[in-house]
Amino acid sequence: MSFWDIIWFIVVFFAFATYLMVLFSIVVDLFRDPEVSGWMKALWVACLIFFTFITAIVYLIVRGRAMTERATRDAHAVRSAQDDYIRTVAGGGPSPADQIAHAKDLLDAGTITAAEFDVLKAKALA
């Protein structure tokens, strides 16, 4: 096996791995999109099976922008959920000033009594 055979193997392996990643991305995007009907999903998958390269190129041209927007929206939703989780579980939570302001709003609305406000205020400052 020569040096160029090894280089050619690396190039072909890289192209095949890229091809599989593109197909996987298309299938995942297709099934995550609620706007596409079941029949259209089946048609896209059938075309991906029988006319693989042409269908992948057409899909990326026709639906590529929406594919990116959905991926970005999903990434922001995951990031937001992660930040919320970290804030609540890791002890971040609202600041004492926010807690006192919220308790004051409840007192002003008549939801809690002055004694309950004092207890909430003491907890926030502790």
Side-chain angles (χ1 to χ4, degrees), residues 8 10 12-13 16-17 22 26 32-33 38 44 53 75-78 94-95 100 108 126:
W8 181 246
I10 291 171
V12 169
F13 182 78
F16 183 70
V22 168
I26 289 172
R32 282 187 178 174
D33 189 1
W44 275 110
F53 293 113
H76 285 298
V78 168
S95 68
I100 293 170
D108 292 342

Side-chain angles (χ1 to χ4, degrees), residues 7-116:
I7 296 297
W8 181 246
F9 174 77
I10 291 171
V11 169
V12 169
F13 182 78
F14 177 77
F16 183 70
T18 304
Y19 162 74
L20 289 178
M21 288 174 55
V22 168
L23 283 182
F24 182 73
S25 296
I26 289 172
V27 170
V28 167
D29 178 67
L30 187 61
F31 283 97
R32 282 187 178 174
D33 189 1
E35 297 174 5
V36 178
S37 70
W39 288 105
M40 282 304 295
K41 290 176 184 179
L43 181 64
W44 275 110
V45 170
C47 289
L48 274 172
I49 291 170
F50 295 112
F51 310 108
T52 309
F53 293 113
I54 300 293
T55 305
I57 291 170
V58 168
Y59 188 90
L60 293 175
I61 291 171
V62 172
R63 299 179 48 89
R65 182 178 303 236
M67 187 176 177
T68 304
E69 290 169 358
R70 280 187 295 277
T72 304
R73 183 188 65 225
D74 291 346
H76 285 298
V78 168
R79 178 64 187 251
S80 175
Q82 180 183 13
D83 290 344
D84 290 344
Y85 177 80
I86 291 170
R87 209 174 302 112
T88 57
V89 172
S95 68
D98 291 338
Q99 291 176 359
I100 293 170
H102 180 66
K104 178 69 173 147
D105 291 340
L106 292 174
L107 177 65
D108 292 342
T111 308
I112 60 173
T113 64
E116 292 171 322

